[in-house]
Amino acid sequence: MNEFNNPKQVHPPLGAYSHTVTVPPNATWLVLSGQVGVDAKGKLRAGMRGQAVQVFRNILACLRANGMHKEDLVKLVVYVTESRLIEEYRVARAEMLGGDVLPASTLLVIDGLAQPDMLIEVEAWAAKG
Amino acid sequence: MNEFNNPKQVHPPLGAYSHTVTVPPNATWLVLSGQVGVDAKGKLRAGMRGQAVQVFRNILACLRANGMHKEDLVKLVVYVTESRLIEEYRVARAEMLGGDVLPASTLLVIDGLAQPDMLIEVEAWAAKG
Amino acid sequence: MNEFNNPKQVHPPLGAYSHTVTVPPNATWLVLSGQVGVDAKGKLRAGMRGQAVQVFRNILACLRANGMHKEDLVKLVVYVTESRLIEEYRVARAEMLGGDVLPASTLLVIDGLAQPDMLIEVEAWAAKG
């Protein structure tokens, strides 16, 4: 089983994540491409809320298709194109993952993604013992 | 063996990558530093094409030196400094990796790299069962 | 044991890192959240030096709390908000990790982090056979 920890010597997490996740030697890993807000028909959703919800739909579909679940997520790297969009991302994340899925995480504001109207991309790693 | 999948519930990949890669428990992992367009003599190549080709030369050399091959790549994270350079990167990638090497991938436009004249950096992860 | 290598066919590393790290199949992995310059009391340290030193204190605390050590680090991804801060980061890194801890590494200049006064974030991965 993966173990999610927050060492006492480090400040409490500043959001919905764990400082560390331990993955045991017998784990199968699932490596995901960065997911963007494109739906199953190939259409980029409008706005941060629509794109962020779609990103997590895609991540959850990738997990399910490989026999994994959101509890198996061990790492998220979240890229947004404007800092003013961070709060809206957090709301969508809470809605889609709930409050008890706490992989190690990183949040970054970057210049751009593969297409100019993409506002968010999320990389995920999962592992199952 | 690593398994490369594209779940039916997620849009087809927007480029040369797989949505998910499953790495089995018995795999040896190869973790690579972000590779830049510096050749074996320490000279930074000129232009996106030159740098991107060199990046993949370096990645392939790193794989070979550790008994791995391009088919063992499970993840690429590509950082470019200008969105107008993305297409040129894709051409170099296709030339160097071919069309049937499809690791999970992420593409990001960022402010800069370790030196101001670097245009691209690629991080790679490989795994072999 | 993890193996740190620099292939002869690739230029010597441009800083304190190894081009490749091999992690054996029996390893336990430790996945860390991106660490920022916030101390144990929740206060963001001032300036690049203060933040970078705190980042490595946090990383070392995360390792120790999970029975690992700096020698088990296999990958660092360093995000800084301004290229003029890179040298100051390198000094703090050398001070905190010493010269013989050489994980695979990537250094990127990005637009911003989760809070506007954060200057640096470092993601780390560790593995122990």
Side-chain angles (χ1 to χ4, degrees):
Chain A
M1 292 281 291
N2 302 327
E3 280 180 32
F4 299 77
N5 286 312
N6 292 304
K8 283 177 201 172
Q9 297 79 0
V10 182
H11 62 86
L14 306 172
Y17 64 87
S18 303
H19 276 304
T20 64
V21 185
T22 305
V23 179
N26 65 338
T28 296
W29 284 79
L30 186 68
V31 186
L32 282 80
S33 283
Q35 293 297 318
V36 293
V38 173
D39 67 19
K41 294 177 180 170
K43 189 176 180 322
L44 181 65
R45 303 281 304 271
M48 177 49 118
R49 183 183 181 76
Q51 291 192 16
V53 166
Q54 186 64 49
V55 159
F56 284 108
R57 272 201 198 118
N58 293 353
I59 290 174
L60 294 172
C62 286
L63 292 170
R64 265 194 312 269
N66 290 283
M68 295 209 186
H69 303 88
K70 62 183 182 175
E71 290 76 12
D72 301 313
L73 289 168
V74 297
K75 178 81 181 275
L76 295 180
V77 189
V78 181
Y79 306 96
V80 300
T81 56
E82 293 183 61
S83 58
R84 64 177 180 83
L85 299 173
I86 293 176
E87 194 47 38
E88 216 170 347
Y89 154 72
R90 287 193 172 131
V91 172
R93 182 213 183 281
E95 186 185 319
M96 296 299 291
L97 289 190
D100 56 349
V101 173
L102 301 169
S105 300
T106 301
L107 175 63
L108 303 162
V109 185
I110 57 156
D111 260 26
L113 297 165
Q115 295 175 16
D117 40 4
M118 290 175 173
L119 302 173
I120 180 170
E121 177 154 351
V122 180
E123 283 190 288
W125 298 72
K128 194 172 180 171
Chain B
M1 291 281 290
N2 302 327
E3 280 180 32
F4 299 77
N5 286 311
N6 292 304
K8 285 176 199 170
Q9 298 79 358
V10 182
H11 62 86
L14 307 173
Y17 64 87
S18 302
H19 277 303
T20 64
V21 185
T22 304
V23 179
N26 66 340
T28 296
W29 284 78
L30 186 68
V31 186
L32 281 80
S33 283
Q35 293 297 319
V36 292
V38 172
D39 68 18
K41 293 177 179 170
K43 190 176 182 320
L44 181 66
R45 303 281 304 271
M48 177 50 118
R49 184 183 181 76
Q51 291 192 17
V53 166
Q54 186 64 49
V55 159
F56 285 108
R57 273 202 197 117
N58 293 353
I59 290 174
L60 295 171
C62 286
L63 291 169
R64 264 194 312 269
N66 290 281
M68 295 210 185
H69 303 88
K70 62 183 182 175
E71 290 77 11
D72 301 313
L73 288 168
V74 296
K75 178 81 180 278
L76 294 180
V77 189
V78 182
Y79 306 96
V80 300
T81 57
E82 293 184 58
S83 58
R84 64 177 182 83
L85 299 173
I86 292 176
E87 195 46 40
E88 214 170 349
Y89 154 73
R90 288 193 171 129
V91 173
R93 183 212 182 283
E95 185 184 321
M96 295 299 291
L97 290 190
D100 56 350
V101 173
L102 300 168
S105 300
T106 300
L107 174 65
L108 303 161
V109 185
I110 56 157
D111 259 26
L113 296 165
Q115 295 175 17
D117 40 3
M118 290 174 173
L119 303 172
I120 180 170
E121 175 153 352
V122 180
E123 283 190 287
W125 297 72
K128 194 172 181 172
Chain C
M1 291 283 289
N2 302 327
E3 279 180 34
F4 299 78
N5 286 312
N6 291 304
K8 284 177 199 170
Q9 298 80 0
V10 182
H11 62 87
L14 307 172
Y17 65 86
S18 302
H19 277 303
T20 65
V21 185
T22 305
V23 179
N26 65 340
T28 295
W29 283 78
L30 186 68
V31 186
L32 283 79
S33 282
Q35 294 297 318
V36 292
V38 172
D39 67 19
K41 294 177 178 169
K43 190 176 181 321
L44 181 65
R45 304 282 304 270
M48 177 50 119
R49 183 183 182 76
Q51 291 193 16
V53 166
Q54 186 64 49
V55 159
F56 285 108
R57 273 202 198 118
N58 292 354
I59 289 174
L60 295 172
C62 286
L63 292 169
R64 263 195 313 269
N66 289 282
M68 295 209 185
H69 303 88
K70 62 183 181 175
E71 289 77 11
D72 301 312
L73 289 167
V74 296
K75 179 79 180 278
L76 295 180
V77 188
V78 181
Y79 306 97
V80 300
T81 57
E82 294 183 60
S83 58
R84 63 176 181 83
L85 298 173
I86 293 176
E87 194 47 39
E88 216 170 346
Y89 154 72
R90 288 194 171 130
V91 172
R93 183 212 183 284
E95 186 185 318
M96 295 299 292
L97 290 190
D100 56 350
V101 172
L102 300 169
S105 302
T106 300
L107 175 64
L108 304 162
V109 185
I110 57 156
D111 260 25
L113 297 165
Q115 295 175 16
D117 40 2
M118 290 175 173
L119 303 173
I120 180 170
E121 177 154 350
V122 180
E123 284 190 287
W125 298 72
K128 194 172 180 173

